[in-house]
Amino acid sequence: MPHTHAHSKAEACHEALEEFEATHHHAPDAHEKAALISKTIREWEHEEVDATHTPDGQPS
């Protein structure tokens, strides 16, 4: 998933599902979707933490 830093988890998940369908030429099955959503949320939350902290690791 490209790191576009979507404004919300929902937006990030929507983008990830669209990208999956474009790349794989089919909608994800239940297991693929669950894994994709889980990974997307984890990455989005990590990016959100990075965006709210300064380079020295302190909250901004």
Side-chain angles (χ1 to χ4, degrees):
M1 170 181 170
H3 299 282
T4 59
H5 195 69
H7 290 60
S8 68
K9 288 179 192 177
E11 183 181 347
C13 291
H14 182 74
E15 290 174 0
L17 290 169
E18 285 182 341
E19 181 182 323
F20 180 95
E21 289 182 22
T23 301
H24 298 281
H25 308 291
H26 68 85
D29 66 23
H31 295 287
E32 291 169 325
K33 187 181 249 184
L36 182 61
I37 296 298
S38 176
K39 178 182 175 191
T40 300
I41 289 172
R42 186 172 51 251
E43 289 178 2
W44 186 89
E45 289 176 344
H46 181 77
E47 289 177 8
E48 193 68 14
V49 169
D50 286 349
T52 60
H53 285 77
T54 60
D56 64 0
Q58 298 300 314
S60 53

